[in-house]
Amino acid sequence: MTAPIKTPAEIEKMRIAGRLAAEVLEMIEPHVKAGVTTDELNTICHDYIVNVQQAVPAPLNYHGFPKSICTSVNHVICHGIPGDKVLKDGDIINIDITVIKDGYHGDTSKMFVVGKPSILAERLIRITQEAMYLGIKKVKDGARLGDIGYVIQQHAEKHSYSVVREYCGHGIGAVFHEEPQVLHYGKPGTGEVLKSGMCLTIEPMINAGARHSKLLKDGWTVVTKDRSLSAQFEHTILVTDTGCEILTLRSDDTIDRIVTAE
């Protein structure tokens, strides 16, 4: 099944939803500090999305997920459920935001550091963001999904890190998760051909240790099997004729909103 092509009207709604998701990550940054619980971060984000943005937090009740955001700390790869965990100095945390506005989804995540990170954590975060950017730079009409996965995998493994295989990016629009599946590993010249007007997420999960993951008993939280640190960044992307437009770009990003493919 191929990814749906968005109409100009749908693309405009995707731009709005993407901008709102990015704004939540910008808003929450000063609150990510030692002593705060992940549930407190969830409450702040929920109230902002619902009351300020007049939008809907997509994760809440999605297949039974109990919270409005995902908070993945240290060795948690993804889908961490906010709770009573207190953040401490040196922790790293991925906050994953998806908002629905006028029926369309904006999906994005970034890594935050509590206090001073270890050299290992700082390096892992930097390489993960670079890997995502390299993947984004491959996006354009006529490119293939394997081109994206290949450059992400190469960059991670060049630095002796590993790419999580069980979870991937995805098409997005009026549906939270639609076709195609966007793997963060692969071979160039393979996989679905991208077409202008497609929207998808690129969201590599990179581990400092082995790539293997384990799903906890809560049915959501995914951790590294060897308890090594894991990092993730995510953007929602619109495919264009010459490259792509990043719909969830933040003010702290170091890549342009309009990216011309390499």
Side-chain angles (χ1 to χ4, degrees):
M1 204 169 117
T2 55
I5 305 296
K6 305 293 186 284
T7 66
E10 288 178 310
I11 288 169
E12 197 45 49
K13 289 183 176 182
M14 290 293 294
R15 284 190 178 112
I16 292 167
R19 188 181 74 242
L20 293 177
E23 286 173 359
V24 179
L25 288 179
E26 292 175 335
M27 176 279 301
I28 199 63
E29 180 135 29
H31 301 280
V32 182
K33 53 191 178 184
V36 74
T37 66
T38 51
D39 198 42
E40 287 170 332
L41 296 177
N42 177 78
T43 299
I44 295 165
C45 289
H46 176 90
D47 291 347
Y48 185 79
I49 293 165
V50 171
N51 299 324
V52 177
Q53 297 185 332
Q54 306 285 296
V56 176
L60 185 61
N61 300 318
Y62 180 77
H63 295 305
F65 190 80
K67 297 291 181 175
S68 296
I69 66 173
C70 297
T71 51
S72 302
V73 182
N74 295 336
H75 69 289
V76 178
I77 294 170
C78 62
H79 305 155
I81 302 172
D84 56 7
K85 180 172 181 59
V86 178
L87 296 182
K88 63 184 188 306
D89 189 64
D91 281 344
I92 62 172
I93 176 173
N94 176 276
I95 298 181
D96 195 339
I97 303 291
T98 309
V99 303
I100 308 170
K101 184 72 171 181
D102 293 331
Y104 285 79
H105 293 72
D107 188 4
T108 186
S109 81
K110 70 168 278 192
M111 297 301 298
F112 296 84
V113 173
V114 182
K116 185 169 174 52
S118 67
I119 292 169
L120 170 66
E122 204 165 40
R123 183 172 176 267
L124 176 66
I125 289 170
R126 177 174 55 81
I127 299 303
T128 303
Q129 186 174 40
E130 288 172 359
M132 178 189 66
Y133 286 162
L134 288 168
I136 288 171
K137 287 177 178 177
K138 289 295 177 186
V139 176
K140 70 169 179 178
D141 185 272
R144 302 186 78 130
L145 286 175
D147 303 340
I148 298 169
Y150 176 76
V151 294
I152 289 171
Q153 181 182 6
Q154 288 297 107
H155 193 65
E157 292 179 355
K158 184 174 75 178
H159 292 89
S160 302
Y161 296 144
S162 61
V163 178
V164 174
R165 304 285 181 106
E166 295 84 358
Y167 303 89
C168 59
H170 51 89
I172 187 167
V175 177
F176 194 165
H177 298 93
E178 60 186 28
E179 293 295 324
Q181 289 197 331
V182 182
L183 304 181
H184 302 114
Y185 60 94
K187 295 178 180 176
T190 65
E192 184 170 341
V193 177
L194 300 179
K195 302 285 186 198
S196 186
M198 287 180 177
C199 288
L200 49 91
T201 70
I202 295 177
E203 48 181 301
M205 288 147 267
I206 307 296
N207 296 344
R211 68 173 180 84
H212 306 290
S213 66
K214 184 171 82 169
L215 180 66
L216 298 188
K217 287 179 182 173
D218 62 26
W220 286 102
T221 307
V222 180
V223 300
T224 55
K225 221 167 187 178
D226 60 9
R227 296 188 66 84
S228 63
L229 289 179
S230 187
Q232 180 185 23
F233 283 86
E234 175 183 15
H235 274 313
T236 298
I237 309 295
L238 166 69
V239 182
T240 66
D241 290 342
T242 56
C244 67
E245 181 181 340
I246 302 174
L247 303 179
T248 48
L249 200 77
R250 301 178 310 277
S251 55
D252 64 297
D253 267 304
T254 55
I255 189 171
D256 292 330
R257 181 175 297 281
I258 306 297
V259 179
T260 304
E262 293 177 335

